[in-house]
Amino acid sequence: MVRFENKRAGWAIAAASLLGMVASNGYAATASYDPATSVVDFPVVEVLDGATSSFFSAKLQVTGNDLQLIAADVIPPAKGQQRVVFDSATAAVHVPSVVVGADEFYAKLQLVPGSDPLRFTVAQLVSNNFQGCPSFSTPGPNQGSCILSGEIKQDITLTKNTQWILSGSVFIGGNNTESATITINPGTQIFGQQGADFLWIRRGSKIMAEGTPDNPIVMSGPLQQSGGEWGGLVLAGNAPVNGCNEGVAVCENPFEAITSESFGGNNPEDNSGVIKYTQILFAGFAVRPNEELNGLTLNGVGSGTVIDFVQVHKGLDDGIEMFGGTAQMKHLVLTENEDDSMDWGSGWRGRAQFVLIKQSASDGDRGVEADNNEVNNDSLPRAKPILSNMTMLGAPVATEGFLLRRGTGANIWNTVVTGFPVCITIDGGATFQNAGTPGNLSGELTMVNSFVNCATNFKDGVDATFTVVDWFNSQSGNKAEDPLLNGYLPAPGSPLTLGGAAVNDPFFNTVDYVGAFKDGNDDWTQEWTFKFN
């Protein structure tokens, strides 16, 4: 944290230099400072509250070591421009561009908990002009670029004034030792040079990737043309996983693609950090034959991790895959991935709400591929995520919307599946047995208030003890009919807009609609995502 001495005088000097008036060079700052009154003026502030937001003009006054809110007036929405953003989920204010003379800065303010009136401290103060490569990196091939490589076992910050390049495997922290935090500022861009480059957050370490709608974080391959241009992003945590022999007190597994790396533990609330307003693009390189990385891989990640407003686009393998753990996520955009959009196994017992899955017209497998454990279908803890408000758009080249197999459980709410050759397949004796029977379901594998509309809606897999159509029809609110979509949004008159139900779980927003979007005006993918067809 940035600290200033001499209290008010120090703050005034800092604010004057950092949050200065717009300079005569014509750059548009997002904040200005009046030294006569010690007031910082934010003409446009967007206050985020999940997928909704409000806009204000605000004034903060320097008081000692803090900035205190002295005025806030509602203004019309002002999207599509650079602006100050207050994220209520992280209690952080992101000031993207403040100009002093020829210099431009980014500032992050942090809300003082319980303050009334609201007060903020300066958490970060960074020039937006390239300042050279820090000690944890080496100079890159171009001016303004720096290379990350190997193991990094210290806290580091990646800023938007630098093009960050991954060289090979980049590990943050040790394995539950020498833990470190990688902070990634809004608007920062990280590129893999080639396939085998990836970023791995080890157990005990954290990623703090806090983008904003107007300044998303971008992790990408160099050409942005095809899947597999780089490896991807991997988080490893200490939440429970399955797949160990009976009697093992704490199950820990090697990762299938890089067997020297382990994940799993006994802390369901484990915290691997924050990923918000982040694009993960063109990832999925095969690090070994038939062992590709996913765009986003969550290995034993715990529920203390925040994953919200994340897009995985055009990965060579899966968009996002959970290997056990209890990770929770909202507002996922999984587009044009070349294998499965969402995949889970090893006992994932997390949650997800507001998920858009859009398969490519030319490649791709399943919308969701769901396993408990491939080797022992009844391994504990058994996979049983809770999913709500998913919009899954398939293509003829795909396989199916949901494949529920290998003993998995799941509670699926308010979901629409359309455009796949098959909407839902249940497969394997352990999966059927875990579910119970239509009319007498166990509660372990359910689907309610959901719509299907595919060439073939239901398929019975091997060792079926009931038909999938009977399972679907025996549960409340399910319908096999046209959901009336306009692209991925509900069209006027769509039955989705009033077809949903609230999930009785504190993680979930209360909704009364089916799918990821309330109506045609509720497109929360706008502005922060990479363009998808």
Side-chain angles (χ1 to χ4, degrees):
M1 176 174 292
V2 178
R3 299 183 184 275
F4 295 97
E5 303 297 333
N6 299 325
K7 295 188 177 182
R8 184 181 180 88
W11 256 110
I13 294 170
S17 61
L18 175 65
L19 303 173
M21 299 291 289
V22 177
S24 59
N25 57 19
Y27 293 156
T30 53
S32 62
Y33 174 70
D34 183 354
T37 60
S38 298
V39 171
V40 182
D41 183 21
F42 297 144
V44 180
V45 181
E46 182 178 16
V47 178
L48 303 177
D49 184 12
T52 64
S53 63
S54 304
F55 285 80
F56 299 84
S57 64
K59 297 181 186 295
L60 279 68
Q61 189 168 45
V62 176
T63 57
N65 285 331
D66 298 338
L67 292 166
Q68 181 173 299
L69 181 68
I70 59 172
D73 298 311
V74 176
I75 62 173
K79 292 182 179 289
Q81 66 179 51
Q82 292 286 288
R83 55 197 181 270
V84 175
V85 173
F86 174 59
D87 190 338
S88 58
T90 59
V93 178
H94 301 280
V95 186
S97 175
V98 290
V99 177
V100 180
D103 296 321
E104 182 186 356
F105 298 87
Y106 159 79
K108 179 181 178 181
L109 310 180
Q110 201 70 45
L111 177 67
V112 176
S115 58
D116 184 17
L118 300 181
R119 290 183 292 111
F120 300 86
T121 58
V122 176
Q124 209 179 127
L125 189 68
V126 180
S127 173
N128 281 341
N129 299 314
F130 181 65
Q131 302 291 300
C133 294
S135 60
F136 57 81
S137 64
T138 57
N142 303 314
Q143 174 67 22
S145 67
C146 300
I147 296 173
L148 302 175
S149 61
E151 295 181 313
I152 299 174
K153 296 179 178 179
Q154 65 182 57
D155 294 347
I156 65 172
T157 298
L158 306 188
T159 54
K160 71 177 181 180
N161 60 13
T162 301
Q163 184 182 87
W164 300 96
I165 299 173
L166 304 176
S167 178
S169 52
V170 179
F171 295 97
I172 303 300
N175 184 14
N176 276 330
T177 183
E178 298 179 278
S179 298
T181 296
I182 177 172
T183 298
I184 306 176
N185 283 356
T188 298
Q189 296 184 334
I190 304 169
F191 291 93
Q193 302 177 96
Q194 57 188 351
D197 303 331
F198 58 83
L199 178 61
W200 188 298
I201 315 302
R202 282 179 167 147
R203 290 190 295 182
S205 292
K206 291 182 180 181
I207 180 172
M208 302 300 292
E210 296 181 54
T212 59
D214 56 333
N215 283 288
I217 292 164
V218 177
M219 303 182 185
S220 180
L223 302 178
Q224 298 192 336
Q225 294 178 353
S226 57
E229 291 184 6
W230 69 298
L233 175 62
V234 183
L235 275 62
N238 292 289
V241 301
N242 70 27
C244 296
N245 294 328
E246 288 189 28
V248 174
V250 179
C251 187
E252 300 174 284
N253 289 329
F255 183 55
E256 61 183 15
I258 303 174
T259 56
S260 60
E261 293 296 317
S262 300
F263 63 94
N266 62 355
N267 182 10
E269 292 81 33
D270 193 38
N271 183 353
S272 294
V274 174
I275 308 175
K276 293 199 72 174
Y277 291 104
T278 297
Q279 303 172 12
I280 303 172
L281 313 175
F282 305 98
F285 181 77
V287 294
R288 292 193 295 125
N290 299 317
E291 293 291 355
E292 300 90 354
L293 290 177
N294 309 291
L296 176 59
T297 304
L298 303 176
N299 291 337
V301 171
S303 62
T305 308
V306 175
I307 301 171
D308 201 1
F309 296 98
V310 174
Q311 180 187 22
V312 185
H313 177 73
K314 214 169 183 60
L316 182 65
D317 195 49
D318 301 331
I320 181 169
E321 183 164 5
M322 284 67 68
F323 291 87
T326 54
Q328 303 181 145
M329 56 206 79
K330 287 182 179 176
H331 303 105
L332 300 181
V333 179
L334 309 177
T335 48
E336 300 182 44
N337 293 292
E338 297 178 26
D339 193 8
D340 310 313
S341 290
M342 177 181 283
D343 194 337
W344 73 72
S346 303
W348 179 49
R349 296 180 69 87
R351 289 157 174 77
Q353 188 177 24
F354 310 121
V355 180
L356 171 62
I357 289 174
K358 191 175 187 300
Q359 299 286 95
S360 168
S362 60
D363 203 353
D365 197 358
R366 300 178 174 100
V368 171
E369 182 177 280
D371 300 337
N372 177 44
N373 186 279
E374 181 177 355
V375 176
N376 177 2
N377 294 172
D378 293 314
S379 186
L380 299 177
R382 187 185 296 273
K384 188 188 174 184
I386 307 175
L387 313 172
S388 186
N389 297 100
M390 300 178 70
T391 295
M392 300 171 54
L393 308 180
V397 72
T399 306
E400 55 220 323
F402 277 99
L403 173 60
L404 305 167
R405 67 178 185 182
R406 294 174 176 168
T408 193
N411 298 137
I412 304 165
W413 295 68
N414 304 321
T415 290
V416 56
V417 188
T418 185
F420 291 86
V422 176
C423 274
I424 304 172
T425 299
I426 298 178
D427 181 72
T431 318
F432 284 98
Q433 183 177 2
N434 183 48
T437 58
N440 189 29
L441 294 175
S442 65
E444 295 296 305
L445 184 63
T446 60
M447 188 173 200
V448 296
N449 294 99
S450 295
F451 284 67
V452 294
N453 184 42
C454 297
T456 299
N457 284 329
F458 309 107
K459 180 180 177 181
D460 305 330
V462 298
D463 298 326
T465 56
F466 54 78
T467 65
V468 179
V469 63
D470 286 346
W471 171 82
F472 183 82
N473 288 334
S474 70
Q475 301 174 82
S476 63
N478 289 337
K479 296 180 180 179
E481 63 180 66
D482 188 345
L484 296 181
L485 293 173
N486 180 14
Y488 52 84
L489 298 171
S494 169
L496 303 180
T497 58
L498 294 174
V503 182
N504 185 23
D505 184 287
F507 171 78
F508 291 89
N509 292 12
T510 300
V511 299
D512 59 359
Y513 57 91
V514 174
F517 309 93
K518 179 176 177 59
D519 52 37
N521 298 315
D522 180 35
D523 189 356
W524 46 260
T525 73
Q526 292 297 304
E527 190 174 19
W528 65 274
T529 56
F530 186 88
K531 183 178 179 180
F532 56 93
N533 295 326

